[in-house]
Amino acid sequence: MRAARARSGPAPRSAAAHGRMGSRALGAADESGARPAAPGARRSRGPLLPAPPMASPLEDPVLIRPFRGHTAAVTGVAFNRNAAGLVTCSVDRFLIFWKLKRQCRAYRFAGHAEAVTSVEFSPDGQVLASSSHDHTVRLWIPCIHGESSVLKGHTASVRSVSFSHDGYSVVSASNDKSIKIWSVCYQRLLFTLFQHTGWVRCAKFSPDGRIIVSCGEDKYINIWDTRNKNCVNSFSDDEGFATFVNFNPSGTCIASAGSNNTVKLWDIRTNKLLQNFKVHRAGVNSVSFHPSGNNLITASTDGTLKILDLLGERLMYTLHGHKGPVLCVAFSKGGEKFASGGTDAQLLLWKTNFDSLDYEEVLKHNFRRTHTDDPPHLLDIFPRSSHLHGEKRKSIQVNPTFDVTDTQTPDPTVIDIRPSSLISTPMKTNAGKSSDDVSVFKSSGGSEELESPFASLSARRSKRKAETESGSARHSVKQHRGASCSVDRALSHIMGQLDMLTLTISILEQRLTCTEDKLKEFMKDQQKMLLKGKWN
């Protein structure tokens, strides 16, 4: 049974009250912050004895357990499709895949030369994308071989990476002030978007893949049409710049995390600021929408996570647990879990008990505000005035130090996955088994997880061994392997040349942009000089 946790503000609600979320405020509490006694509390002959604070395991978020494996700040986190595992990236230059089901395991992938800034699973869970300060984007096939492909084109640190809804494209944002869209299948650059005048901190595809949202240190949030490759709209925030942006599940709104401690919700159809939450005491680094679209979780440099009720326009929970700034947070695809990472090098896995609601009932009571509209059309976007909301009620404080969390299970042993170039034959273990007995990814029936042994590869090798028993078969296989090696070398050479061309084009684009800026400044100076000469 969980111990009591520190709370401030209103008392927890019942499950029935959660079903009416947004229709009334959270619990009743007097101005002093004292909560009413629990039903059935004993009365003494003297004054009324306050009931001890009761935990509410059916409603409040619960910390499942922490994970430790990185040696530096955790900068990104993402769940796979069935929430059986998640991946994290860190300043320590590694990616770690955490297997959550059955016996917990961890697999560390190496490849980046500098800190990794962002990571994300493809929609089908078969590919990982990561970005780094080493100016590259990497596409990983998360298996025993640790295979990855490098996408080169940026000339500065890459801050974020995100897949399109179909998994065919990846968008990256960089300190070189550009946004690049890459082909996953052909592993090449498709096109580049230029308009930001400062470092681009984040870029995301919309759920339907038609538009891209980006934010930069120039204090603009830009909306891009992926078909015309043009910026079709911009939101300006004079208070500070957005550090992170993301679409809600329906694609009609954008949430932006601000360096000025705010979280803002924008309607991209009307260019209207819908909500402005000022609930953190320091900059907000990441946000994630619950799949229902009714809740938003935020991660901040003030060391807390906060869960916002978008229907009731209020703060629900403040979660403590990280020792230092929280840099990333993400819901699982089904919304039953979320994970967070921070500068304390910890990954915290949480359970979202608060979201066990009858959303059909919520939709009936809040139809106008929660009805999922058709994806926004670009022609519907036009400027309108914005409005702000005032401060909301205080949140329930959830401090895992007062909870009985999983402190018995030790942290999983991290298994280092070597790059594929170092693995040419199955590695033998002490027991005489090959590395095929070590866990790797398997996809079957819409679920992907690390499975042991590597059945598919073992079956292929057994079949190949049977086919090469005769001398003639061995000779043909050798010829085939020789041809394959020649083709591989030729393809590698071509890919290397393409990488150099891509990098050269990127540098030329950057120099052309600088030249245009200098020409504009020169024209302005010349006009000023002509005007002065005219007046003189």
Side-chain angles (χ1 to χ4, degrees):
M1 183 175 180
R2 295 164 59 214
R5 60 168 63 104
R7 294 175 182 270
S8 66
R13 296 173 292 173
S14 64
H18 271 286
R20 297 185 294 273
M21 183 174 64
S23 59
R24 62 174 180 168
L26 186 70
D30 58 21
E31 295 179 356
S32 64
R35 293 167 44 234
R42 287 190 175 184
R43 292 176 178 270
S44 65
R45 293 183 180 180
L48 179 66
L49 293 176
M54 298 295 292
S56 181
L58 296 179
E59 298 180 4
D60 297 347
V62 177
L63 176 64
I64 299 175
R65 62 168 296 183
F67 291 92
R68 300 172 186 87
H70 287 290
T71 58
V74 179
T75 55
V77 60
F79 283 89
N80 62 359
R81 281 192 305 170
N82 59 0
L86 55 87
V87 65
T88 55
C89 62
S90 170
V91 175
D92 63 11
R93 302 176 298 171
F94 297 111
L95 276 69
I96 296 182
F97 179 81
W98 308 85
K99 178 186 174 185
L100 303 179
K101 289 189 175 180
R102 303 190 189 97
Q103 182 182 358
C104 190
R105 296 176 184 173
Y107 302 84
R108 180 161 49 206
F109 296 89
H112 283 292
E114 295 184 32
V116 190
T117 57
S118 176
V119 65
E120 187 172 297
F121 270 104
S122 62
D124 61 4
Q126 300 300 310
V127 181
L128 279 171
S130 62
S131 59
S132 171
H133 286 315
D134 62 10
H135 305 183
T136 67
V137 173
R138 276 185 179 262
L139 300 177
W140 305 78
I141 299 175
C143 65
I144 189 86
H145 294 299
E147 298 173 359
S148 66
S149 300
V150 184
L151 305 180
K152 297 179 180 179
H154 286 291
T155 58
S157 299
V158 188
R159 305 300 291 263
S160 81
V161 66
S162 178
F163 278 96
S164 60
H165 71 295
D166 54 12
Y168 294 156
S169 303
V170 166
V171 60
S172 59
S174 171
N175 286 357
D176 62 11
K177 305 178 186 178
S178 72
I179 300 161
K180 293 185 181 294
I181 290 78
W182 311 82
S183 169
V184 175
C185 298
Y186 298 103
Q187 300 175 16
R188 63 181 179 86
L189 180 65
L190 296 178
F191 56 90
T192 303
L193 303 175
F194 288 105
Q195 182 153 321
H196 284 286
T197 58
W199 291 357
V200 188
R201 299 295 295 264
C202 184
K204 297 281 185 179
F205 275 104
S206 63
D208 61 3
R210 294 195 306 163
I211 57 179
I212 291 173
V213 61
S214 64
C215 64
E217 295 191 5
D218 55 3
K219 297 187 178 182
Y220 281 97
I221 298 173
N222 291 339
I223 308 294
W224 307 83
D225 183 355
T226 57
R227 294 165 295 186
N228 300 329
K229 305 176 183 59
N230 293 325
C231 180
V232 295
N233 202 3
S234 294
F235 304 106
S236 178
D237 191 349
D238 296 330
E239 299 176 1
F241 62 86
T243 58
F244 190 92
V245 286
N246 204 358
F247 283 94
N248 70 340
S250 64
T252 59
C253 296
I254 294 167
S256 63
S259 62
N260 59 336
N261 314 350
T262 63
V263 177
K264 296 183 178 181
L265 201 67
W266 307 81
D267 190 328
I268 64 173
R269 298 164 298 179
T270 61
N271 194 22
K272 186 176 182 180
L273 178 62
L274 298 179
Q275 296 176 6
N276 182 17
F277 293 94
K278 297 183 178 180
V279 293
H280 284 287
R281 300 188 307 274
V284 186
N285 301 311
S286 180
V287 298
S288 180
F289 278 96
H290 188 272
S292 67
N294 298 334
N295 298 101
L296 184 72
I297 189 166
T298 63
S300 171
T301 303
D302 64 14
T304 65
L305 299 160
K306 292 183 185 284
I307 297 174
L308 307 176
D309 174 12
L310 301 181
L311 300 180
E313 301 180 4
R314 60 189 171 84
L315 174 61
M316 290 176 63
Y317 293 97
T318 298
L319 311 181
H320 304 268
H322 284 283
K323 299 175 183 177
V326 190
L327 303 180
C328 56
V329 65
F331 273 109
S332 61
K333 303 302 180 185
E336 69 278 2
K337 297 174 185 176
F338 65 91
S340 58
T343 57
D344 56 2
Q346 284 194 112
L347 168 69
L348 300 185
L349 182 64
W350 305 77
K351 184 178 180 182
T352 56
N353 292 326
F354 71 92
D355 75 325
S356 55
L357 310 173
D358 182 4
Y359 282 109
E360 292 183 1
E361 184 180 353
V362 176
L363 293 176
K364 288 179 183 177
H365 288 286
N366 302 277
F367 179 81
R368 290 185 178 179
R369 302 184 61 188
T370 62
H371 177 60
T372 303
D373 294 320
D374 294 333
H377 194 277
L378 297 173
L379 297 178
D380 297 334
I381 302 174
F382 58 94
R384 289 244 182 118
S385 60
S386 61
H387 67 280
L388 302 177
H389 293 289
E391 294 184 2
K392 304 302 173 186
R393 297 177 183 269
K394 292 183 178 180
S395 61
I396 296 177
Q397 302 285 330
V398 179
N399 194 334
T401 58
F402 296 104
D403 297 336
V404 182
T405 56
D406 183 4
T407 57
Q408 307 261 337
T409 306
D411 289 318
T413 302
V414 179
I415 302 172
D416 286 308
I417 303 299
R418 300 183 183 183
S420 58
S421 59
L422 300 181
I423 301 178
S424 57
T425 58
M427 295 159 45
K428 298 294 181 178
T429 63
N430 294 335
K433 295 180 180 180
S434 70
S435 62
D436 296 347
D437 294 337
V438 184
S439 301
V440 295
F441 266 90
K442 180 183 179 182
S443 179
S444 176
S447 64
E448 61 277 354
E449 59 182 43
L450 288 172
E451 198 85 1
S452 176
F454 194 2
S456 59
L457 185 58
S458 297
R460 287 198 299 269
R461 282 176 176 159
S462 298
K463 185 177 180 181
R464 188 179 300 167
K465 185 177 180 181
E467 290 175 350
T468 57
E469 287 182 352
S470 64
S472 59
R474 279 196 297 269
H475 181 67
S476 62
V477 169
K478 286 180 181 179
Q479 287 182 338
H480 177 70
R481 284 179 178 174
S484 298
C485 291
S486 299
V487 172
D488 289 342
R489 284 195 297 269
L491 288 175
S492 298
H493 179 71
I494 292 171
M495 289 301 297
Q497 295 297 321
L498 287 174
D499 287 340
M500 290 299 297
L501 286 173
T502 303
L503 185 59
T504 304
I505 291 170
S506 177
I507 294 172
L508 289 174
E509 287 178 346
Q510 188 179 21
R511 290 181 177 177
L512 181 60
T513 303
C514 293
T515 304
E516 289 177 349
D517 293 339
K518 289 180 180 180
L519 283 173
K520 288 179 182 178
E521 292 178 2
F522 175 75
M523 293 297 292
K524 288 180 181 178
D525 293 339
Q526 193 174 28
Q527 287 179 357
K528 290 179 181 178
M529 292 176 64
L530 290 173
L531 288 173
K532 285 182 181 180
K534 184 177 181 181
W535 285 106
N536 292 334

